[in-house]
Amino acid sequence: MPGASDLIPPQAGHLLLSAAEASSAIHAGTLTSEALVSACLERIALREGAVQAWAFVDPELALAQARALDREPPRSWLHGIPIGIKDVIDTCDLPTAYGSPIYQGHRPVADAACVAQIRELGGVILGKTVSTEFATRHPNKTRNPHRLTQTPGGSSSGSAAAVADFMVPLALGTQTSSSVIRPAAYCGVVGYKPGFGLINRAGMKFLAESLDTIGILSRSVTDAGMLAALLSGLPVGRASLKSGKGPRIGLCKTPWWSEASPSVQQSLLQCAERLRKAGATVSEIDLPPEFAELNEVQIRLSSYEFFRALTHERVRHPEKISASLTSRIAAGGRVTRQDYEAAVALMKRCQHWMEDAMSGYELLMAPSAPSEAPDIAGTGEPTFGLMWTLLQMPCMTLPCGLGQAGLPVGVQLIAACGNDIGLCRDAAWAEAVLSGR
């Protein structure tokens, strides 16, 4: 089985470049998009049989995009950079199956808004990355590239694995519970779940309209922040992602601290100490008792919305839906409108409390997942993503070493609603500290 060191090929060349580094080389004329895309395709050919990160790749189509872009002056920072697209986001020239046999071979007539933007900005759509079934918890085929017997997490399984395995420098994911943060932590990459609605969701398969968020998997905070800025219009540049000042950080163990493994607990506390020594102010933050209800509230609210969003599939194709998702949908059908409105009311009360509390902090830090990646039979528990997604706060997970089992562990950083710029800036500072740069 491959370990973390085996993920870096002996003669990786262009594959080791971050998106920002590749962009600089393309703009300087020392690298072509065709060479970068070719290197990614060679890596996929070498490793896809083991990792199984891709739902669909058309090498000639990807190379044709790259060659066309090489004949143009750069359109943006993204020009010539290959990107993987999670297979719940529509693409007009590649199949989009939403991780379900119901839609096998489905060809959307239009790109999702974010995909159309990527093309307009000069990005190369490398292929569609594997999603779990309708971006829920039923696992698909993808393996964790650090250890093939373990899950990459879900639901953005293929996006996290492909970035971790150097198949592509950037990929889009989505998050309803912890579907960007958890797989990024398991695979040892950066996962960015922006504030709710920051990246336009038109053309993605909705599950929970109050929660679904398009996010980014990358190997650096700069790459994630720059792509989000381009897609959202945020005034973020590479210079604004550099800060020498340590932020005020609230160490938030959350009501589920006891569910974190000893490795995860130790890793978070060690990260907090490293950030403190580098200049951050770190103090523990306690949440009111009603926050302990939020994970159950998130499940209740999302299940209510699942039941309605998947009406066509559950009525017309029930035999093609997994037993686990069928059960989740049925549970959603039992949630009354009164229960749903009570869940929304609690969500809003907690949002208001958090808005006031965040006046004393630039960041909160919390676990990204309860443990290192478990075995391939499941996708892991979303415990430490549910609350932050429900509260619609921007979150980012950074790699922070290996746990007791020798697999990656992440630290989750959370900023106030509307403060994605601050999150990217302060996460870049934390990344530099934790990586020893």
Side-chain angles (χ1 to χ4, degrees):
M1 287 307 152
S5 61
D6 298 308
L7 299 186
I8 303 176
Q11 296 177 322
H14 308 318
L15 295 177
L16 291 178
L17 296 175
S18 68
E21 292 166 340
S23 174
S24 295
I26 288 171
H27 279 68
T30 58
L31 176 66
T32 65
S33 178
E34 181 180 2
L36 180 59
V37 170
S38 294
C40 291
L41 292 170
E42 289 170 9
R43 180 66 175 169
I44 291 169
L46 176 67
R47 290 281 292 164
E48 176 62 8
V51 178
Q52 301 179 67
W54 298 89
F56 193 88
V57 177
D58 183 336
E60 285 307 313
L61 180 61
L63 287 167
Q65 294 175 69
R67 290 171 186 140
L69 289 164
D70 282 336
R71 294 192 290 270
E72 299 180 17
R75 302 182 192 178
S76 76
W77 174 88
L78 193 60
H79 190 96
I81 304 298
I83 300 180
I85 307 295
K86 184 178 177 179
D87 194 33
V88 294
I89 300 173
D90 286 347
T91 45
C92 66
D93 54 1
L94 296 171
T96 305
Y98 314 119
S100 169
I102 296 171
Y103 290 96
Q104 186 173 3
H106 169 59
R107 294 267 181 166
V109 298
D111 285 329
C114 58
V115 174
Q117 284 182 280
I118 288 168
R119 295 191 201 274
E120 181 183 33
L121 293 162
V124 175
I125 307 302
L126 189 63
K128 304 303 289 289
T129 57
V130 169
S131 170
T132 60
E133 179 188 28
F134 295 117
T136 59
R137 296 184 63 187
H138 186 68
N140 210 314
K141 64 182 181 178
T142 308
R143 311 286 174 168
N144 191 313
H146 292 269
R147 191 172 298 162
L148 299 177
T149 56
Q150 311 305 113
T151 181
S155 62
S156 303
S157 313
S159 291
V163 170
D165 203 62
F166 297 87
M167 297 176 177
V168 70
L170 284 167
L172 294 185
T174 65
Q175 179 156 312
T176 305
S177 298
S178 191
S179 293
V180 169
I181 297 298
R182 186 170 81 260
Y186 287 168
C187 292
V189 298
V190 172
Y192 175 29
K193 196 281 300 178
F196 180 72
L198 188 73
I199 297 175
N200 190 285
R201 299 178 297 168
M204 70 167 282
K205 180 66 172 173
F206 273 100
L207 279 183
E209 58 192 298
S210 302
L211 303 169
D212 291 352
T213 305
I214 293 175
I216 298 166
L217 288 300
S218 67
R219 290 193 296 273
S220 78
V221 172
T222 295
D223 290 356
M226 290 294 291
L227 178 56
L230 285 173
L231 296 179
S232 67
L234 279 178
V236 174
R238 291 181 69 175
S240 65
L241 292 175
K242 296 179 181 179
S243 171
K245 183 180 178 183
R248 296 170 299 167
I249 300 174
L251 175 61
C252 187
K253 293 181 177 179
T254 83
W256 305 280
W257 180 249
S258 64
E259 297 181 31
S261 71
S263 283
V264 167
Q265 293 183 1
Q266 181 181 25
S267 179
L268 185 74
L269 296 176
Q270 288 175 342
C271 283
E273 182 62 15
R274 290 172 67 186
L275 297 177
R276 186 192 63 78
K277 286 182 176 179
T281 301
V282 182
S283 58
E284 194 162 337
I285 179 172
D286 294 319
L287 302 177
E290 63 183 350
F291 273 69
E293 302 175 41
L294 289 184
N295 277 8
E296 286 301 319
V297 164
Q298 194 278 352
I299 293 168
R300 192 180 315 136
L301 186 150
S302 61
S303 295
Y304 177 93
E305 295 184 351
F306 284 10
F307 179 79
R308 286 151 181 83
L310 295 175
T311 298
H312 170 78
E313 292 81 3
R314 66 179 170 81
V315 171
R316 297 292 296 272
H317 303 285
E319 76 287 353
K320 293 184 178 180
I321 300 175
S322 70
S324 59
L325 181 53
T326 296
S327 175
R328 181 78 182 273
I329 293 170
R334 294 189 293 270
V335 178
T336 68
R337 183 68 192 186
Q338 184 178 11
D339 291 337
Y340 177 75
E341 290 177 355
V344 172
L346 177 59
M347 174 187 78
K348 290 181 177 178
R349 288 199 303 274
C350 291
Q351 284 176 326
H352 290 317
W353 185 93
M354 190 60 77
E355 182 179 355
D356 290 339
M358 289 301 293
S359 64
Y361 302 98
E362 276 77 50
L363 294 177
L364 302 180
M365 61 184 302
S368 300
S371 67
E372 299 160 71
D375 69 49
I376 200 68
T379 60
E381 293 298 324
T383 308
F384 291 104
L386 293 165
M387 177 172 73
W388 309 116
T389 308
L390 181 69
L391 297 176
Q392 301 180 334
M393 299 171 76
C395 311
M396 192 176 291
T397 185
L398 307 181
C400 62
L402 303 179
Q404 190 172 13
L407 291 167
V409 173
V411 57
Q412 185 172 194
L413 304 176
I414 305 102
C417 287
N419 192 26
D420 283 78
I421 293 176
L423 173 62
C424 292
R425 180 196 64 236
D426 294 327
W429 177 87
E431 178 186 49
V433 173
L434 297 176
S435 64
R437 293 204 301 271

